[in-house]
Amino acid sequence: MLELRHFRYFIAVAEELHFGKAAQRLFMTQPPLSMQIRQLEETVGVPLIVRDSRPISLTAAGEVFLIQAKEVLRQSESAIKHAQLTSVGKEGHLIIAVTSASVFSILSQLIATFKQSYPYVSLEFKEMVSKDQIEALNQNDINIGLIRSPVDQKKINIMPVQVEPIVVAIPKGSDLADFESIPVDVLDGTALIGFAPDTAEYFCKLSEKLFTTHNIKPLIVQTATQLHTIIALVAAGLGIALVPESAGRINIENFVLRPLALDSPPQAELCLAWNKNDHNPAISSFLELLK
Amino acid sequence: MLELRHFRYFIAVAEELHFGKAAQRLFMTQPPLSMQIRQLEETVGVPLIVRDSRPISLTAAGEVFLIQAKEVLRQSESAIKHAQLTSVGKEGHLIIAVTSASVFSILSQLIATFKQSYPYVSLEFKEMVSKDQIEALNQNDINIGLIRSPVDQKKINIMPVQVEPIVVAIPKGSDLADFESIPVDVLDGTALIGFAPDTAEYFCKLSEKLFTTHNIKPLIVQTATQLHTIIALVAAGLGIALVPESAGRINIENFVLRPLALDSPPQAELCLAWNKNDHNPAISSFLELLK
DNA sequence: GGCGGTTACGTAAGGCGTAAGAATT
DNA sequence: AATTCTTACGCCTTACGTAACCGCC
């Protein structure tokens, strides 16, 4: 049966063109080396070395076999190296799911930092709402989720990566835009663009809580799922909206952000989520870098 | 020490995801298989298989190692196959020397036939005068020479591939062109384009022999090395010339070929020459095809 | 005749099989 | 409790070393 040993021995003989020197290089004696080469030639089925001349020489078949043999050894070295790199999370592949809103926050910076430290870990992104992310994490369809909602499943670990205050988005030129901060009771009865309850549950509930706490009833004139849609509607003058501070990164004109006049305004959390049973080492690399 | 065995075993386990099934597939029992896999993991330095769950699964490192392991096995198979093909001359490289580019016209058909039977033998051509070819054959710089002169060296084998009569090249419209064949004594005193004695020794001597045998003294108005140069000079009307019949393939107008009016006109031989000690199997393939 | 590769033979390492043990479902 | 992987141990293959034997320069 052909083994790597045969390749190693043949390369030594082919390069030294001298059984004795080759054996010395391999820290062994000539006879067994001779035997192994003979065995190799038998498995290959053709002579690789011309022995009836000194120095010995390679047959044409031996010449091509030498090149291929080196390639085989190089490949097996590479197999080990790649396995090692993968094992410590320096190489590999990560599938990261993001909610549309999180795209505007710190994600881009995060990716850049990660790619700098782990250039050989390829990243794949999928856009998913939080509920689908949890499902995908459970089924190992994705490695990391980037979500708002706190998860209550023991298989899923979470780690907050960003906490940002909820602020008020106001059409440019509106009277409210002149305030430096917005007193909460001003919102009572005001036209407001809200997050859709079914697809943007987290922000929706965050707002509702604020309203009930302060006993306010704004006039929700429109709902939307995507953050940038809401900002676009605000900019169009349809009303104001309660949005995370990172909405400021959205490239739309004609709106301003003002903080709420509260000691402790509502906070929106952005969390990394991953399956505890997913042992892809690149996940650890990713998490480690965020601390 | 890592061996191909480890790759073979790992692939079986990784594909079956079951030590027992894998062992069965490898015609062995589980325990030694388990040992070998453990050995493999030790040499690689990282765990490749997750054992603490059933069915067993691969680590991320194991996944990449599986792909690489298959590649290593594929490569070693390929090494054997290529060595075998090379050994029987179905694969390889031949360096063929020709005396002048014009020989290509004769060769082209030969090359096409060879390429059809041996598509994986690459051919390389070099232009060399006969003397240099012999030298190159001795030094194994070329594998095959295509020459006119008979070689007198015991290391060099030769085989004639083409025998053609010497004919007379005549400018179109010349009086001689009206003859169907040219009596030799007509050449006496006629303006003639000759081969250069130093670089086209073979043709030169062939002509000289004809002249002395028939006691003729033509007027050599010009000499040239290359056949197509001589034909060009004939076509230009400078004189006639004694050339091999294959000159008819040269794509020049304004000249005609006429046979010599002799029972046994001089013959020009084209020979293949190769070094007896050059065991490149592709040479045999080439020679075999010419018979 | 010396250098270099092969053949002959003895040894010892190690791969493999059998049997018993541990762990997961 | 059953299936499945691991540990323990003995055998037997085989790779390797030593010694003697050819075959070229």
Side-chain angles (χ1 to χ4, degrees):
Chain A
M1 186 100 286
L2 190 68
E3 293 295 347
L4 285 186
R5 178 180 60 249
H6 297 110
F7 289 93
R8 283 190 281 261
Y9 292 179
F10 178 75
I11 291 170
V13 173
E15 287 186 348
E16 301 285 348
L17 288 176
H18 189 293
F19 275 78
K21 294 264 177 68
Q24 213 167 340
R25 175 168 138 186
L26 294 164
F27 300 107
M28 64 190 292
T29 53
Q30 294 95 330
L33 175 59
S34 209
M35 287 297 288
Q36 291 294 316
I37 296 292
R38 196 161 280 288
Q39 234 181 62
L40 171 64
E41 287 178 305
E42 202 164 321
T43 30
V44 175
V46 302
L48 301 174
I49 293 176
V50 182
R51 283 160 239 255
D52 57 4
S53 76
R54 260 196 289 267
I56 57 170
S57 59
L58 300 183
T59 62
E63 294 283 1
V64 317
F65 193 79
L66 174 59
I67 295 166
Q68 302 260 316
K70 283 181 179 172
E71 186 58 24
V72 169
L73 287 198
R74 204 198 54 73
Q75 271 274 354
S76 25
E77 294 288 335
S78 141
I80 294 178
K81 205 183 84 191
H82 283 292
Q84 289 171 342
L85 289 174
T86 305
S87 176
V88 296
K90 291 202 172 172
E91 205 177 280
H93 186 68
L94 276 185
I95 305 178
I96 301 175
V98 295
T99 57
S100 54
S102 59
V103 176
F104 302 107
S105 51
I106 55 170
L107 187 63
S108 61
Q109 197 184 337
L110 202 69
I111 297 164
T113 313
F114 182 75
K115 269 288 173 188
Q116 200 160 13
S117 294
Y118 297 93
Y120 300 115
V121 177
S122 60
L123 299 177
E124 181 182 341
F125 295 95
K126 288 187 177 178
E127 198 174 330
M128 281 185 184
V129 295
S130 299
K131 208 166 64 181
D132 290 346
Q133 286 194 25
I134 306 298
E135 176 78 5
L137 282 171
N138 274 319
Q139 292 183 357
N140 283 314
D141 287 337
I142 63 173
N143 301 113
I144 290 177
L146 203 58
I147 55 181
R148 296 281 180 185
S149 356
V151 185
D152 192 25
Q153 289 202 19
K154 58 171 181 271
K155 270 189 180 177
I156 311 290
N157 279 351
I158 59 167
M159 180 174 99
V161 282
Q162 193 193 35
V163 180
E164 51 181 336
I166 294 294
V167 296
V168 188
I170 304 166
K172 200 173 259 181
S174 155
D175 295 346
L176 280 172
D178 297 337
F179 287 69
E180 225 171 70
S181 66
I182 311 294
V184 183
D185 50 7
V186 170
L187 301 177
D188 199 25
T190 310
L192 190 127
I193 321 290
F195 280 92
D198 46 348
T199 52
E201 200 186 349
Y202 179 73
F203 285 114
C204 198
K205 288 197 171 168
L206 215 60
S207 309
E208 267 176 22
K209 195 176 165 191
L210 182 73
F211 300 151
T212 51
T213 308
H214 294 83
N215 202 25
I216 302 171
K217 278 208 185 94
L219 178 68
I220 297 183
V221 295
Q222 173 94 34
T223 62
T225 301
Q226 309 277 21
L227 184 58
H228 69 257
T229 309
I230 289 176
I231 293 298
L233 293 171
V234 170
L238 266 71
I240 65 172
L242 293 172
V243 296
E245 194 178 36
S246 59
R249 295 174 191 247
I250 294 175
N251 198 20
I252 292 181
E253 301 279 326
N254 296 323
F255 81 98
V256 294
L257 296 180
R258 293 286 178 270
L260 284 162
L262 287 171
D263 288 343
S264 55
Q267 301 278 329
E269 266 195 334
L270 187 64
C271 293
L272 283 185
W274 68 96
N275 189 325
K276 203 184 292 183
N277 297 321
D278 185 351
H279 296 114
N280 188 331
I283 295 177
S284 309
S285 302
F286 198 88
L287 299 175
E288 206 64 36
L289 207 69
L290 296 196
K291 289 180 183 168
Chain B
M1 188 99 283
L2 189 68
E3 292 294 348
L4 284 186
R5 179 180 59 248
H6 297 110
F7 289 92
R8 283 190 282 261
Y9 291 179
F10 178 75
I11 291 169
V13 173
E15 287 186 347
E16 302 285 347
L17 287 177
H18 190 293
F19 275 79
K21 296 263 178 67
Q24 214 168 341
R25 175 168 139 186
L26 294 165
F27 301 105
M28 63 191 292
T29 54
Q30 295 94 333
L33 175 60
S34 208
M35 287 294 288
Q36 293 293 317
I37 298 291
R38 195 161 282 287
Q39 239 181 57
L40 171 63
E41 287 178 304
E42 203 164 322
T43 33
V44 175
V46 302
L48 301 174
I49 292 177
V50 182
R51 282 160 240 255
D52 57 5
S53 75
R54 264 196 289 264
I56 57 171
S57 59
L58 300 183
T59 62
E63 293 284 1
V64 318
F65 194 80
L66 174 59
I67 295 166
Q68 303 260 314
K70 284 180 179 172
E71 186 58 24
V72 169
L73 287 198
R74 203 199 55 71
Q75 271 273 353
S76 26
E77 294 288 335
S78 140
I80 294 178
K81 206 183 84 191
H82 283 292
Q84 289 171 342
L85 289 174
T86 304
S87 176
V88 296
K90 290 203 171 171
E91 205 177 279
H93 186 69
L94 277 184
I95 305 177
I96 301 174
V98 294
T99 47
S100 80
S102 60
V103 181
F104 269 112
S105 56
I106 307 160
L107 259 186
S108 62
Q109 199 181 340
L110 197 70
I111 297 164
T113 313
F114 183 75
K115 269 288 174 186
Q116 200 160 14
S117 295
Y118 298 93
Y120 301 115
V121 177
S122 61
L123 299 177
E124 181 183 341
F125 295 95
K126 288 188 177 178
E127 197 173 332
M128 280 185 183
V129 295
S130 299
K131 207 165 65 181
D132 290 346
Q133 285 193 28
I134 306 298
E135 176 78 6
L137 282 171
N138 274 319
Q139 293 183 357
N140 283 315
D141 287 338
I142 62 173
N143 302 113
I144 290 177
L146 203 57
I147 54 182
R148 296 280 179 184
S149 354
V151 185
D152 192 23
Q153 289 201 19
K154 59 170 179 273
K155 271 190 180 176
I156 310 290
N157 279 352
I158 58 168
M159 180 174 100
V161 282
Q162 194 193 33
V163 180
E164 50 181 336
I166 294 295
V167 297
V168 188
I170 304 166
K172 199 174 261 180
S174 154
D175 295 349
L176 280 173
D178 297 338
F179 287 69
E180 225 171 73
S181 66
I182 310 295
V184 182
D185 49 9
V186 170
L187 301 178
D188 198 24
T190 310
L192 190 127
I193 322 289
F195 281 91
D198 46 350
T199 52
E201 200 186 348
Y202 179 71
F203 283 114
C204 198
K205 288 197 170 166
L206 215 60
S207 310
E208 268 177 21
K209 194 175 165 193
L210 183 72
F211 300 150
T212 52
T213 308
H214 293 83
N215 202 25
I216 302 171
K217 277 208 184 97
L219 178 67
I220 296 182
V221 293
Q222 173 94 34
T223 62
T225 301
Q226 307 280 18
L227 183 59
H228 68 257
T229 309
I230 290 177
I231 293 298
L233 293 171
V234 171
L238 267 70
I240 65 172
L242 292 172
V243 296
E245 194 177 37
S246 59
R249 295 176 189 248
I250 293 176
N251 198 20
I252 291 180
E253 301 279 325
N254 295 325
F255 81 97
V256 294
L257 296 179
R258 292 287 179 270
L260 284 161
L262 288 170
D263 287 342
S264 54
Q267 301 278 330
E269 266 193 335
L270 187 64
C271 293
L272 282 186
W274 67 96
N275 188 326
K276 204 183 292 184
N277 296 321
D278 185 350
H279 296 114
N280 188 331
I283 296 177
S284 309
S285 302
F286 197 87
L287 299 175
E288 206 63 36
L289 207 69
L290 295 197
K291 290 179 182 167

